């Protein structure tokens, strides 16, 4: 381990950032160093700018990816190397809010009905039933399921915050089928090659993509789609925003409020003020033959 890497990890530890954030930031700095073929200590704002432009122009990276890479490099130069030029020299891309993609109830059903591997089926069902993030699901342990209290304990969610969510009775029945077959010991969804470890992120994303293709979904399917579907379908069923905020583990309810814009049933339930007007019927134009 190089002295710079060691120092950065120590700075991350001092700030008590989540393991996921530590891993992501260190990996991002490694990629930057490989691109520049030098230690980041010898590099400055021009190299950082060229690297971020390389991600945008050559890799067509999305804004969130560029923001994440920038955040990691900012931590390196500001917090670890104590440089003061970063915010003045490195522009921050503007994040444009987009509406989340939503799987319909019929599409979720089709995905599950076309998934015949029991482990994969149970993971996809758990995504949809709980709204868990990918990293939260892969780190679920057997001990996190409390069938007596009908609760799931989510450990170290985004921001390192624990939370509890309700365990669906229908999901519990399916989980029991999975338990009898797989008999997991520690991790709920262990790796096949390394049973003492959870499945890795890439494996879960691949199985989601394959499940979508088998079901004939006309767009890429990834773990967060089930999270979006869970939240939106709960809204359609009458759940309030605060309940959904707690379920999803959002720190800010404004993040949860995005789902109001994609809840079709709620949009259709709102009457236009035009509907309340008492208007005379119109059967034809009073000035037929004249057009403006």
């Amino acid at each position: 381990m190089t002295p710079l890497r060691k120092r950065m990890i120590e700075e991350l530890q001092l700030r008590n950032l989540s393991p996921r954030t530590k891993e992501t930031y260190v990996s991002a700095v490694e990629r930057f160093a490989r691109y520049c073929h030098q230690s980041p200590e010898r590099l400055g704002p021009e190299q950082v700018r060229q690297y971020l432009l390389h991600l945008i122009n050559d890799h067509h990276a999305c804004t969130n990816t560029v923001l994440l890479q920038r955040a990691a490099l900012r931590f390196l130069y500001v917090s670890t190397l104590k440089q003061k030029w970063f915010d003045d020299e490195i522009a921050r891309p503007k994040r444009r809010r987009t509406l989340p993609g939503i799987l319909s109830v019929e599409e979720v059903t089709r995905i599950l009905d076309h998934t015949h591997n029991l482990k994969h089926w149970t993971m996809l069902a758990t995504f949809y039933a709980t709204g868990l993030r990918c990293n939260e699901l892969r780190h679920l342990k057997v001990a996190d399921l409390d069938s007596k209290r009908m609760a799931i304990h989510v450990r170290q969610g985004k921001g390192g915050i624990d939370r509890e969510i309700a365990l669906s009775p229908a999901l519990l029945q399916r989980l029991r089928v999975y338990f009898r077959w797989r008999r997991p010991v520690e991790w709920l969804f262990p790796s096949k090659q390394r049973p003492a470890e959870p499945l890795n992120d890439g494996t879960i994303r691949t199985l989601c993509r394959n499940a979508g293709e088998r079901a004939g979904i006309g767009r890429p399917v990834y773990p967060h789609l089930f999270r979006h579907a869970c939240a939106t379908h709960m809204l359609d069923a009458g759940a309030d925003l605060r309940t959904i905020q707690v379920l999803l583990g959002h720190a800010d309810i404004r993040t949860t409020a995005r789902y109001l814009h994609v809840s079709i049933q709620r949009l259709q339930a709102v009457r236009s003020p035009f509907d309340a007007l008492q208007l005379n019927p119109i059967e034809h134009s009073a000035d037929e033959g004249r057009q403006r």
Side-chain angles (χ1 to χ4, degrees), residues 156-191:
Q156 297 292 298
K158 192 171 184 179
I161 300 171
D162 290 6
R163 70 183 187 279
E164 279 200 341
I165 60 176
L167 173 57
S168 154
L171 178 63
L172 177 59
Q173 290 181 2
R174 298 288 187 151
L175 282 168
R176 282 172 171 160
V177 174
Y178 167 72
F179 266 83
R180 289 194 293 269
W181 168 73
R182 184 61 176 80
R183 299 192 180 282
V185 178
E186 181 183 9
W187 301 104
L188 184 57
F189 301 113
S191 168

Side-chain angles (χ1 to χ4, degrees), residues 228-262:
H228 296 327
C230 173
T232 305
H233 298 166
M234 283 183 68
L235 267 176
D236 288 341
D240 62 271
L241 272 182
R242 174 58 183 160
T243 298
I244 297 173
Q245 179 191 7
V246 173
L247 171 78
L248 299 182
H250 286 157
D252 190 334
I253 200 167
R254 287 176 296 182
T255 305
T256 318
R258 288 187 307 158
Y259 294 105
L260 288 172
H261 301 294
V262 291

Side-chain angles (χ1 to χ4, degrees), residues 82-138:
K82 312 302 180 187
Q83 302 286 340
K84 297 182 179 180
W85 49 261
F86 197 93
D87 288 324
D88 290 334
E89 297 289 339
I90 308 302
R92 188 179 188 278
K94 183 177 180 180
R95 189 198 302 268
R96 298 189 183 277
R97 284 287 183 184
T98 57
L99 295 179
I102 301 297
L103 291 168
S104 68
V105 173
E106 293 74 22
E107 287 175 323
V108 173
T109 302
R110 201 159 75 238
I111 288 171
L112 292 173
D113 284 345
H114 284 78
T115 301
H116 304 295
N117 179 298
L118 181 57
K119 182 179 180 181
H120 294 176
W121 191 99
T122 307
M123 293 172 67
L124 296 172
T126 303
F127 270 133
Y128 179 61
T130 62
L132 290 176
R133 300 177 178 92
C134 185
N135 201 50
E136 293 171 344
L137 180 130
R138 63 183 288 262

Side-chain angles (χ1 to χ4, degrees), residues 4 26-41 43 51 73 76:
L4 179 59
V26 171
S27 296
V29 172
E30 285 178 348
R31 287 191 291 273
F32 172 60
R34 283 199 301 270
Y35 172 78
C36 295
H37 304 292
Q38 290 188 64
S39 169
E41 283 185 289
L43 305 173
Y51 176 64
L73 293 173
L76 170 72

